[in-house]
Amino acid sequence: MRSVRQCTRTACGRPAVATLTYVYADSTAVLGPLAQQAEPHSYDLCMEHAERLTAPRGWEVVRLTPEFAPAAPSRDDLLALADAVREAGRQPEAEPLPEAVGSALAEAPRRGHLRVLRGEG
């Protein structure tokens, strides 16, 4: 989901709008639109950090898009939201058995998927 990705700069929690990659052989930093998926050797940047990006001396910055804007919600965002709502609407798991019944279950031998409960009479 695009909207969840955040800027990779330290202590920045803003949403990412651009992806930065390096071409070491050409001494070039390439700044483009936010990639579909996070890649291991790329950096996601927010609008502020993307606009202020500078390269080391002797390096060139190539900007593939002059202006960066937050990505619009995608189909994946809608599906993730539907999954979250479905998960929240599920029935809670059964509550644990009272202590007296739980101790009887612990003492009784187990046979297959059934348990034998010992009675008092």
Side-chain angles (χ1 to χ4, degrees), residues 22 26-30 55-62:
Y22 293 103
D26 297 333
S27 299
T28 304
V30 180
R57 186 175 299 156
W59 281 61
E60 181 182 357
V61 176
V62 175

Side-chain angles (χ1 to χ4, degrees), residues 2 18 28 32 40 44 54 58 68 110 117:
R2 295 171 156 192
T28 304
D44 295 335
T54 59
F68 298 102
R110 185 177 173 146
L117 296 177

Side-chain angles (χ1 to χ4, degrees), residues 10-71:
T10 304
C12 182
R14 292 184 288 261
V17 297
T19 298
L20 172 67
T21 56
Y22 293 103
V23 181
Y24 293 99
D26 297 333
S27 299
T28 304
V30 180
L31 187 64
L34 187 63
Q36 291 292 326
Q37 296 179 3
E39 298 293 330
H41 298 289
S42 64
Y43 304 91
D44 295 335
L45 300 176
C46 65
M47 191 175 309
E48 180 180 339
H49 287 121
E51 290 173 351
R52 295 186 337 181
L53 176 75
T54 59
R57 186 175 299 156
W59 281 61
E60 181 182 357
V61 176
V62 175
R63 295 177 188 271
L64 300 178
T65 304
E67 294 181 16
F68 298 102

Side-chain angles (χ1 to χ4, degrees), residues 86-94:
R86 191 176 304 118
E87 185 68 28
R90 287 192 179 161
Q91 294 289 334
E93 292 186 22

